[in-house]
Amino acid sequence: MPEKVIGILGGLGPEATVAFFFRIVRATHARHDQDHFRVLVDSNPKIPDRTAAIRGEGKSPLPMLVQSARGLQKDGADFIAIPCVTAHYFFDPLQKKVRIPILNIVGEVVEHVCRRMKKVRRIGLVATSGTVETGLFQKAFAKAGIEVVLPDAKTQKSRIMAAIYGRKGVKAVGPSEESKTLVITAAKTLIDRGAQAILAGCTEIPLILKDGDLPVPVVDSLDVLAQAAIREARGRK
């Protein structure tokens, strides 16, 4: 079966896009350049902020998401991966606007946890406020009988969102010890409330939070999506 061309709809943010592409390259078993997949990347940081749009505080990103997706389709991508969780709030209307399939990071993460972490019944969510407020993970995990433990409002704003969007957050200056400390502190409050694993549910979070940083497993949403993209490119289920 011929390999499929991977399309990355990125720029949401740029560093997460680079990290996602890097994970695909590193996870591909290859001895030569020609053993790697063909990957088309549209890194468009001009797409409006997803959390602001969900809260009614900014423009909808959907028109520009559609534009980028159609561009990848036109250029030869066989499917699309979006290394931004919050953007998946717009998944259904976006998928209807293109002919090629779009991988769903939320579904892939839930399937990964159910398949690889069968004993986990409570998982702590570290994500943007937009992702938390849409209930994307809460609804998907509930169908699998897994409870999502959420940060309290103060922790969500002063630690998690500060680590992502703050003046010294990942989007502003890249990974830093300050942002890592904020996220680890927030994650530990979820563990104290019974979380048996922590989900890095924003694709910027895996840039600062790694498995081994906490006394419970960390689920890396970027890694899960990269593995899904590789399977899809190889035509495997």
Side-chain angles (χ1 to χ4, degrees):
M1 183 178 294
E3 291 179 351
K4 296 178 183 178
V5 178
I6 302 171
I8 300 178
L9 200 171
L12 319 168
E15 196 152 356
T17 300
V18 172
F20 176 61
F21 191 4
F22 181 72
R23 280 162 163 76
I24 291 175
V25 173
R26 289 298 299 269
T28 301
H29 299 295
R31 295 181 61 190
H32 310 284
D33 290 347
Q34 293 74 21
D35 296 330
H36 287 277
F37 300 104
R38 184 181 177 200
V39 181
L40 304 177
V41 182
D42 182 358
S43 181
N44 186 0
K46 306 305 181 184
I47 294 173
D49 186 84
R50 283 63 60 200
T51 293
I54 290 167
R55 289 179 156 181
E57 299 170 354
K59 293 182 179 180
S60 171
L62 184 58
M64 293 188 72
L65 289 171
V66 171
Q67 183 181 43
S68 289
R70 285 179 171 172
L72 290 167
Q73 175 182 276
K74 181 173 181 278
D75 289 342
D78 292 304
F79 68 94
I80 292 171
I82 308 174
C84 170
V85 176
T86 315
H88 284 68
Y89 175 74
F90 305 92
F91 181 89
D92 289 339
L94 176 60
Q95 180 64 88
K96 291 177 181 178
K97 295 292 186 178
V98 292
R99 298 187 304 273
I100 58 177
I102 303 173
L103 299 182
N104 190 308
I105 193 171
V106 176
E108 295 292 344
V109 165
V110 173
E111 183 178 344
H112 170 86
V113 172
C114 291
R115 186 175 66 247
R116 302 285 183 89
M117 309 170 74
K118 295 183 183 297
K119 293 184 179 180
V120 171
R121 306 274 33 120
R122 304 188 81 211
I123 188 165
L125 177 59
V126 178
T128 65
S129 296
T131 295
V132 172
E133 291 166 13
T134 60
L136 289 171
F137 282 115
Q138 297 93 305
K139 296 170 186 174
F141 273 115
K143 293 178 181 178
I146 297 173
E147 178 187 353
V148 175
V149 183
L150 301 175
D152 60 61
K154 182 179 179 181
T155 299
Q156 179 65 33
K157 180 179 180 180
S158 65
R159 297 191 184 281
I160 297 175
M161 288 297 279
I164 300 170
Y165 282 94
R167 186 168 54 86
K168 295 184 179 180
V170 180
K171 286 185 179 292
V173 299
S176 68
E177 284 302 316
E178 182 174 329
S179 57
K180 182 171 184 173
T181 298
L182 287 170
V183 167
I184 286 178
T185 303
K188 286 181 176 178
T189 67
L190 301 176
I191 296 170
D192 290 342
R193 290 168 46 208
Q196 299 164 295
I198 295 296
L199 169 57
C202 163
T203 51
E204 262 97 15
I205 296 299
L207 304 180
I208 52 178
L209 182 67
K210 312 293 183 185
D211 196 27
D213 288 337
L214 297 168
V216 300
V218 174
V219 180
D220 184 327
S221 55
L222 275 181
D223 271 348
V224 172
L225 186 61
Q227 292 294 338
I230 290 170
R231 289 197 308 272
E232 183 71 17
R234 287 176 175 154
R236 296 177 181 175
K237 294 184 178 180

